[in-house]
Amino acid sequence: KYWYSHDEPYSQDAYVPMHIVDSLVQEAGGSPLITEFYPYWGITVNGDSQLVKYYNTVKPEKLMIDYYPAVPDYIPTRWEDFESTRMQFQIAHSLQPGFWYVGQGFGFRLQNNSWCIWRKPEPTELSAAIMLALAHGSKGIMFWNYDSYSSSSDYCGPYYVDCIVDDQLDPTSLYDLIKNNLAPRLNGALGSTLLNLDYSGNYLPLKRFNSPNSLPPAHFDFLTMTFNGNGDCNFHSGFFENSSQPDNNYFLTANILTTSANNVNMIVTKSNQNYTNYRFRNVEPQFSLDTTFNSSLNIDYTFPAG
């Protein structure tokens, strides 16, 4: 479907040549170019969004980004790094709804078992990143890299690229997450539903970090979320629409806290006054949430870590 071109271009000096080559290849009847683009962590370079500059110059048929929140110095992944990831997803959606995301399935492991540059994420951390991408309307999910191998660099010296399977092709915990959780869900009810929905661009955060104070409810449209527990919480809800079913409302909530499950109280209210009965359900039947109400519904729901 695509020719893979210059991997992770980091300078605008590469953008115009990529666009020219793409135009020539397609003019000759070839497939479009595609690449993984890694947006700068600080969002802007010299006052411009690097991701926006790349997209507007290269004009790729398919925008595919790889953004990796797990780094060696912070275990578990910092909230700031998940927030940077969220911001990149929101920008990617604004440029091309349905963008693709390549999740972090690797780390650079040194001989003393520490990490260099990249830390291989825990399954809950990878799950949180994938769910955050889906909550922003991503329509394509992939992972880098599949099999592990040895490498070296001037910065790290000898290191082992620890990936989804090891160098003997034996599964790791990330393989188990993808095979037993993410893949069947994305090939099942969750994925088939999301493919028919459009992310509205609206989202609802509910966050508390290192604060003893009570957290006020978060509200958007038909949904109010309240966290009544002690400690930290980090929920993100993205809102979706189906143009062929305007009376149906959808949202995808992710627990970005990767160290523990968390319980949240959700109040769902009438979004359309023309009906008497309303149905509230999880599109994934295995989670056994399906109920009806007349005016509003108050429910507690527990989300696993990540």
Side-chain angles (χ1 to χ4, degrees):
K1 298 178 72 171
Y2 297 96
W3 287 109
Y4 196 89
S5 69
H6 181 9
D7 185 56
E8 294 184 344
Y10 58 88
S11 166
Q12 62 181 355
D13 294 337
Y15 300 168
V16 172
M18 290 176 69
H19 177 64
I20 293 172
V21 170
D22 188 26
S23 301
L24 292 171
V25 171
Q26 292 196 60
E27 181 68 22
S31 299
L33 299 189
I34 194 171
T35 192
E36 291 180 346
F37 185 78
Y38 196 97
Y40 178 61
W41 67 271
I43 308 296
T44 60
V45 177
N46 297 328
D48 289 332
S49 165
Q50 189 200 30
L51 180 52
V52 173
K53 174 75 77 173
Y54 161 79
Y55 185 81
N56 289 338
T57 305
V58 177
K59 298 179 173 61
E61 179 180 285
K62 178 53 63 179
L63 175 61
M64 180 168 66
I65 67 170
D66 54 335
Y67 196 81
Y68 303 145
V71 294
D73 295 337
Y74 302 101
I75 304 173
T77 297
R78 292 188 303 175
W79 289 36
E80 297 96 315
D81 294 321
F82 273 125
E83 176 62 13
S84 295
T85 306
R86 184 203 65 77
M87 294 171 67
Q88 302 290 6
F89 289 158
Q90 190 74 0
I91 295 171
H93 162 75
S94 71
L95 296 171
Q96 188 182 92
F99 67 95
W100 292 356
Y101 174 58
V102 180
Q104 181 178 1
F106 75 100
F108 295 165
R109 189 186 295 275
L110 299 178
Q111 293 175 331
N112 63 4
N113 217 35
S114 64
W115 300 103
C116 180
I117 304 178
W118 298 115
R119 173 177 61 83
K120 185 177 179 180
E122 294 298 316
T124 55
E125 295 174 315
L126 179 60
S127 179
I130 296 302
M131 290 301 157
L132 199 55
L134 295 174
H136 286 84
S138 176
K139 296 294 177 75
I141 299 293
M142 286 167 283
F143 303 94
W144 196 94
N145 191 12
Y146 183 68
D147 54 329
S148 303
Y149 56 93
S150 297
S151 188
S152 65
S153 70
D154 292 338
Y155 183 81
C156 296
Y159 63 90
Y160 180 71
V161 186
D162 191 349
C163 299
I164 295 169
V165 298
D166 65 21
D167 51 9
Q168 301 300 311
L169 301 184
D170 290 325
T172 72
S173 58
L174 294 189
Y175 178 94
D176 294 334
L177 167 74
I178 295 166
K179 180 178 185 294
N180 299 323
N181 184 300
L182 296 177
R185 294 173 67 192
L186 291 176
N187 283 315
L190 176 62
S192 61
T193 301
L194 288 173
L195 285 175
N196 292 317
L197 300 180
D198 297 314
Y199 173 50
S200 69
N202 297 309
Y203 60 89
L204 179 64
L206 182 66
K207 301 181 180 183
R208 183 173 66 191
F209 181 58
N210 282 346
S211 173
N213 300 322
S214 61
L215 183 66
H219 174 78
F220 178 79
D221 198 5
F222 57 87
L223 178 65
T224 300
M225 300 182 67
T226 306
F227 179 68
N228 296 320
N230 298 316
D232 300 335
C233 76
N234 189 356
F235 290 99
H236 179 95
S237 296
F239 292 83
F240 292 78
E241 302 165 340
N242 187 330
S243 58
S244 64
Q245 300 174 358
D247 287 344
N248 279 346
N249 297 289
Y250 299 82
F251 65 97
L252 192 159
T253 298
N255 175 18
I256 310 303
L257 192 69
T258 61
T259 53
S260 66
N262 243 341
N263 185 278
V264 68
N265 177 260
M266 296 186 288
I267 298 176
V268 182
T269 55
K270 281 186 173 183
S271 58
N272 187 319
Q273 301 301 316
N274 296 329
Y275 302 103
T276 300
N277 298 313
Y278 293 82
R279 184 182 187 187
F280 178 59
R281 60 173 174 158
N282 191 325
V283 300
E284 296 184 270
Q286 67 267 33
F287 294 107
S288 303
L289 173 60
D290 193 342
T291 187
T292 58
F293 63 94
N294 300 124
S295 58
S296 66
L297 175 72
N298 188 315
I299 188 171
D300 290 319
Y301 206 73
T302 300
F303 289 81

